[in-house]
């Protein structure tokens, strides 16, 4: 008898054969699908996270604290780096391909022939909610995919806190071309009579956030107004800081997620936890310290190798690259930097190249992501990069691995790989398959 091993390729085939590649605004399809599944998204308390940058890291901190506190926790995030299995973690662990496939088969049974097909993300989200219920989670940390108001995750009736990470210009084709229009899509997830927390990094958006909260009778909490941070220490080994809010007073919070921007994400996570702490009696200060210390999140200033020092960062928009540059300068001042870079053609790659050039004065090695039409070619990026002066003549590589090897061999003290999470995912697959 031949044993057929189910894997995530099989899952992807199910998703693609039962979904549309069109972006159709509205929540009608996902709500209809979830209703037929018995509304699994309402079977647990949920914390809903939206924003442009920092959603994943903030969610990782929050879910790690719930796990440390002894609550069965589901963490749903996007995108994935290597396989869809990364998108739902139950107490920090992935489910098997078989579990995902069984869920997908159950979900697609509820798509009727005369209806519009759901999107890939809607199918994925329905499966994640179904699996969360099947695994009897007590709390779900749910990250939006794109936007907020019409995101497939914005369907939960049991949300106990809405969390808005930093907001910047991105996905303008779907969310609008101004910061205010994008923020409006994010703030729209605020629920009636449910507390809402905002990073407040862009202070110009705070009045708008407060207005949305007032309309929903939601109490607004803002890191820049409701949190006092003290004794901040940032190093390549991790961050340490003191945190004080109305309900939490923590002396030395340790995190292994490095970089200046992770202080803001950690503070937003702790502020959110302080809003719901009374609902979870097992969440003591000691468990919060433990959860924050144990939180990990791949592809964000992630140290892949120390000899040579190679860092993966998924910063792919202007604000993300700006934060990356600030962190690199503070963590590795006066070091010789090599940057391996690629970008999707719908991103502000010229702005990102300018930021990297101006802030890090690096050598530049550009590459691409194979079999992805959205990805710029090395030739296109070399042409763009030559508009700036680098420490080297810009070099292009068809294979990302070759770009990393060249950057490491050129005696750079630090090699930063950035520009696209797809690039990070492709390189991680190469590493895990033993090709690097």
């Amino acid at each position: 008898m031949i044993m057929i091993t189910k894997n995530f390729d099989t899952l992807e085939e199910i998703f693609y054969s039962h979904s549309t590649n069109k972006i159709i605004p509205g929540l009608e399809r996902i709500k209809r699908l979830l209703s037929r599944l018995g509304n699994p998204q309402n079977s647990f308390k949920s914390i809903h996270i939206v924003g442009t940058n920092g959603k994943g890291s903030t969610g990782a901190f929050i879910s790690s604290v719930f796990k440390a506190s002894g609550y069965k926790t589901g963490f749903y995030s996007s995108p994935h780096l290597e396989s869809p299995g990364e998108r739902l973690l139950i107490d920090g662990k992935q489910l098997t391909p078989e579990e995902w496939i069984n869920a997908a088969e159950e979900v697609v049974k509820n798509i009727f022939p005369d209806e519009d097909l759901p999107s890939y993300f809607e199918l994925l989200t329905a499966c994640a909610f179904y699996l969360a219920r099947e695994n009897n989670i007590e709390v779900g940390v749910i990250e939006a995919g794109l936007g907020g108001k019409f995101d497939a995750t914005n369907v939960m009736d049991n949300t106990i806190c809405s969390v808005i990470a930093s907001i910047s210009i991105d996905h303008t084709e779907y969310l609008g071309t101004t910061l205010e229009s994008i923020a409006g899509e994010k703030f729209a997830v605020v629920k009636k009579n449910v507390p809402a927390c905002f990073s407040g990094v862009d202070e110009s958006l705070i009045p708008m956030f407060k207005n949305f909260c007032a309309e929903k009778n939601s109490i607004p909490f803002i890191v820049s107004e409701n949190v006092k941070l003290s004794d901040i220490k940032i190093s390549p080994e991790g961050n340490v800081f003191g945190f004080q809010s109305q309900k939490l007073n923590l002396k030395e919070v340790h995190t292994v997620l490095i970089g200046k921007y992770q202080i803001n994400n950690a503070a937003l996570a702790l502020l959110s936890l302080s809003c719901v702490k009374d609902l979870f009696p097992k969440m003591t200060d000691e468990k919060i310290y433990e959860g924050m210390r144990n939180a990990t999140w791949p592809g964000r200033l992630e140290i892949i190798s120390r000899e040579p020092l190679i860092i993966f960062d998924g910063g792919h928009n202007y604000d993300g690259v700006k934060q990356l540059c600030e962190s690199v300068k503070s963590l590795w001042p006066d070091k010789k930097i090599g940057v391996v870079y690629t970008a999707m053609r719908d991103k502000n790659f010229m702005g990102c190249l300018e930021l990297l050039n101006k802030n890090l004065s690096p050598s530049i090695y550009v590459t691409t992501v194979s079999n992805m039409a959205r990805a710029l070619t090395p030739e296109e990026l070399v042409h763009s990069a030559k508009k700036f002066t680098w420490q080297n003549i810009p070099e292009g590589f068809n294979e990302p691995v070759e770009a990393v090897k060249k950057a490491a061999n050129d005696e750079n003290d630090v090699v930063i790989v950035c520009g696209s999470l797809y690039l990070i995912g492709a390189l991680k697959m190469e590493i895990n398959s033993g090709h690097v």
Side-chain angles (χ1 to χ4, degrees):
M1 181 178 176
I2 299 174
M3 294 295 291
I4 299 175
T5 303
K6 293 182 178 180
N7 57 35
F8 285 113
D9 289 339
T10 307
L11 179 69
E12 294 274 49
E13 289 170 10
I14 296 172
F15 283 156
Y16 283 118
S17 62
H18 291 86
S19 65
T20 176
N21 58 6
K22 297 177 183 177
I23 300 292
I24 306 172
L27 299 174
E28 296 82 8
R29 294 170 305 283
I30 183 70
K31 284 184 175 180
R32 183 172 60 213
L33 202 50
L34 290 170
S35 176
R36 290 170 185 163
L37 293 165
N39 287 312
Q41 77 279 12
N42 297 330
S43 64
F44 49 86
K45 293 181 176 68
S46 58
I47 290 182
H48 194 200
I49 307 177
V50 302
T52 307
N53 293 313
K55 299 189 299 294
S57 299
T58 301
F61 284 125
I62 293 172
S63 61
S64 184
V65 169
F66 276 117
K67 176 179 178 289
S69 301
Y71 295 98
K72 193 161 190 182
T73 307
F75 178 26
Y76 179 55
S77 65
S78 64
H80 60 264
L81 296 178
E82 297 177 64
S83 83
E86 301 165 29
R87 297 203 186 206
L88 179 65
L89 304 180
I90 305 294
D91 281 344
K93 295 180 180 178
Q94 294 185 33
L95 300 177
T96 65
E98 285 81 5
E99 289 172 286
W100 272 98
I101 290 166
N102 290 340
E105 289 173 343
E106 190 63 34
V107 169
V108 299
K109 284 180 191 174
N110 291 282
I111 303 171
F112 297 168
D114 58 340
E115 297 172 343
D116 291 336
L117 287 174
S119 68
Y120 174 99
F121 186 68
E122 287 170 335
L123 269 186
L124 189 70
T125 301
C127 285
F129 285 143
Y130 179 87
L131 286 165
R133 183 180 62 191
E134 290 295 294
N135 282 273
N136 299 309
I137 71 166
E138 296 169 90
V139 60
V141 181
I142 310 298
E143 177 192 336
L146 177 66
K149 182 178 182 180
F150 293 119
D151 189 82
T153 60
N154 193 28
V155 291
M156 298 172 291
D157 293 338
N158 208 4
T159 299
I160 56 174
C161 188
S162 303
V163 182
I164 299 98
S166 69
I167 297 173
S168 59
I169 301 290
D170 201 5
H171 300 295
T172 54
E173 66 273 36
Y174 305 119
L175 305 179
T177 56
T178 67
L179 197 60
E180 289 72 22
S181 63
I182 292 170
E185 291 291 316
K186 314 285 187 185
F187 294 153
V189 304
V190 173
K191 302 290 188 296
K192 189 175 182 180
N193 300 320
V194 172
C197 297
F198 178 38
S199 70
V201 172
D202 192 316
E203 293 185 356
S204 68
L205 297 175
I206 291 176
M208 185 179 179
F209 170 67
K210 289 181 176 178
N211 286 338
F212 268 83
C213 290
E215 290 173 8
K216 297 291 181 69
N217 197 34
S218 166
I219 302 175
F221 294 90
I222 303 157
V223 171
S224 55
E225 294 185 2
N226 299 104
V227 169
K228 180 182 177 182
L229 296 173
S230 58
D231 301 321
I232 297 173
K233 301 180 185 70
I234 298 171
S235 78
E237 282 67 51
N239 296 335
V240 184
F241 60 94
F243 176 95
Q244 186 176 357
S245 68
Q246 187 176 355
K247 292 187 177 182
L248 271 182
N249 187 5
L250 305 171
K251 299 298 183 186
E252 283 193 359
V253 180
H254 290 252
T255 74
V256 296
L257 295 180
I258 62 175
K260 288 177 68 175
Y261 61 86
Q262 292 295 7
I263 296 287
N264 293 326
N265 294 332
L268 178 61
L270 288 169
L271 181 60
S272 307
L273 288 164
S274 73
C275 290
V276 301
K277 188 173 182 288
D278 292 344
L279 300 173
F280 301 94
K282 292 187 289 184
M283 189 185 291
T284 62
D285 286 1
E286 290 72 22
K287 295 302 180 183
I288 293 174
Y289 282 121
E290 179 185 338
M292 295 297 288
R293 186 172 58 249
N294 292 340
T296 59
W297 193 235
R300 278 73 173 180
L301 271 179
E302 181 183 7
I303 297 176
I304 299 299
S305 164
R306 292 192 180 270
E307 288 291 337
L309 185 56
I310 300 174
I311 314 295
F312 282 6
D313 190 89
H316 56 276
N317 53 38
Y318 189 88
D319 188 58
V321 172
K322 181 181 178 183
Q323 292 179 21
L324 167 64
C325 290
E326 289 174 356
S327 290
V328 171
K329 285 196 296 183
S330 67
L331 289 167
W332 297 285
D334 307 318
K335 295 292 185 182
K336 184 181 178 184
I337 306 292
V339 171
V340 175
Y341 181 80
T342 197
M344 300 298 108
R345 61 183 67 251
D346 56 338
K347 299 296 180 183
N348 179 14
F349 58 91
M350 286 303 297
C352 293
L353 285 169
E354 184 178 17
L355 277 174
L356 292 165
N357 178 269
K358 180 180 178 181
N359 288 280
L360 303 182
S361 299
S363 298
I364 188 80
Y365 311 83
V366 298
T367 184
T368 190
V369 180
S370 300
N371 303 317
M372 183 164 288
R374 284 177 61 209
L376 288 159
T377 66
E379 293 77 18
E380 289 171 316
L381 280 170
V382 165
H383 177 75
S384 298
K386 283 183 176 178
K387 296 179 181 177
F388 307 100
T389 301
W390 308 86
Q391 296 299 322
N392 66 339
I393 297 172
E395 296 183 65
F397 299 83
N398 289 318
E399 297 297 331
V401 170
E402 296 305 316
V404 175
K405 288 179 179 177
K406 184 64 165 64
N409 290 335
D410 277 357
E411 298 182 353
N412 291 298
D413 299 319
V414 186
V415 175
I416 308 292
V417 182
C418 65
S420 172
L421 282 166
Y422 296 112
L423 172 64
I424 304 303
L427 282 167
K428 280 181 168 284
M429 283 191 274
E430 291 284 331
I431 292 169
N432 292 336
S433 63
H435 295 161
V436 180

